Amino acid sequence: CSVGRDKKLLSSRYVLNLEMPPTPNVVADSFGREFLDGNVQKATQQFMCAGKRIGRGTYLISADKDDFDKKGSNYVAKCRRNISNHDFTILAAKDAKKRKDKRGTTKRELAAVDFAPSNKNTPAHVQAILPEQGEEVETEEWLLNAFNTGNCVNHSIMKNTQPTWNKKSKSYEIDFGGRVKMPSVKNMQLQTVTTDNKPVSLTFGKVEENHFVLDFAYPLSVVQAFGIALAAFD
């Protein structure tokens, strides 16, 4: 997938598209027999969802790139930052505001992301916590709090691939397999740490000034992956 950015002060917009690869051009002769004519159709894009920054550390996710009405039917989720820290939470649209039930105040988180910024001597550290698959998690405790207190029993935990130091370029580097073209502090790979082989579940990186790649796989959903990418833009 790819993310296009329309950069504006405190109101930037982001569009997530599914990249459709080029396909051979098929033609038919007068007898109805099909064959390849040697030409290749251009790659196409399919819109998936859009995001909009509505203030410092707050992003809305919508199913329509032109509709970010929080009361509308296209409103999907909100990604917001804890002002005092570098962590984010991604909330489902209907639960983006606190609500109460018999247990008191509850909220449904789709994911939580924690960033430890890089400095001159150490690379950045990123970790994402996802609720248990197939369940609506309504809890009085935030995912990051549960993680920090050891209560994340069935949650999926992902951490970023740690880069290696290149003495020649005097910088940290990660092998993105050619998908990422430009250096950026936003570039990252997330791996699921609860499995033995630690497959890469998310790749996010810069291709051009306002064009980024976002590749993701299970256990991430579209909204979770896009929310993590929006958090990285902050």
Side-chain angles (χ1 to χ4, degrees), residues 36-67:
L36 303 179
D37 69 351
N39 296 320
V40 177
Q41 297 179 357
K42 293 183 179 180
T44 58
Q45 294 182 332
Q46 181 178 335
F47 172 77
M48 299 185 75
C49 57
K52 180 182 179 181
R53 189 180 187 187
I54 61 171
R56 295 186 181 277
T58 304
Y59 301 82
L60 299 182
I61 299 176
S62 173
D64 188 313
K65 61 182 178 181
D66 297 315
D67 180 13

Side-chain angles (χ1 to χ4, degrees), residues 14-109:
Y14 310 85
V15 176
L16 176 65
N17 289 311
L18 176 64
E19 298 283 348
M20 308 297 289
T23 56
N25 194 41
V26 179
V27 296
D29 60 16
S30 57
F31 297 99
R33 295 175 297 189
E34 296 183 343
F35 60 95
L36 303 179
D37 69 351
N39 296 320
V40 177
Q41 297 179 357
K42 293 183 179 180
T44 58
Q45 294 182 332
Q46 181 178 335
F47 172 77
M48 299 185 75
C49 57
K52 180 182 179 181
R53 189 180 187 187
I54 61 171
R56 295 186 181 277
T58 304
Y59 301 82
L60 299 182
I61 299 176
S62 173
D64 188 313
K65 61 182 178 181
D66 297 315
D67 180 13
F68 291 93
D69 183 358
K70 290 192 289 185
K71 296 181 180 180
S73 60
N74 289 311
Y75 180 31
V76 176
K78 175 190 286 186
C79 175
R80 69 185 186 194
R81 174 168 57 90
N82 183 336
I83 297 176
S84 61
N85 293 300
H86 297 280
D87 57 80
F88 291 76
T89 186
I90 302 168
L91 296 172
K94 65 178 181 179
D95 301 301
K97 294 182 179 179
K98 293 182 179 179
R99 61 186 184 181
K100 293 184 178 180
D101 61 9
K102 295 179 181 179
R103 296 176 298 170
T105 301
T106 64
K107 50 268 181 181
R108 186 164 71 96
E109 289 183 86

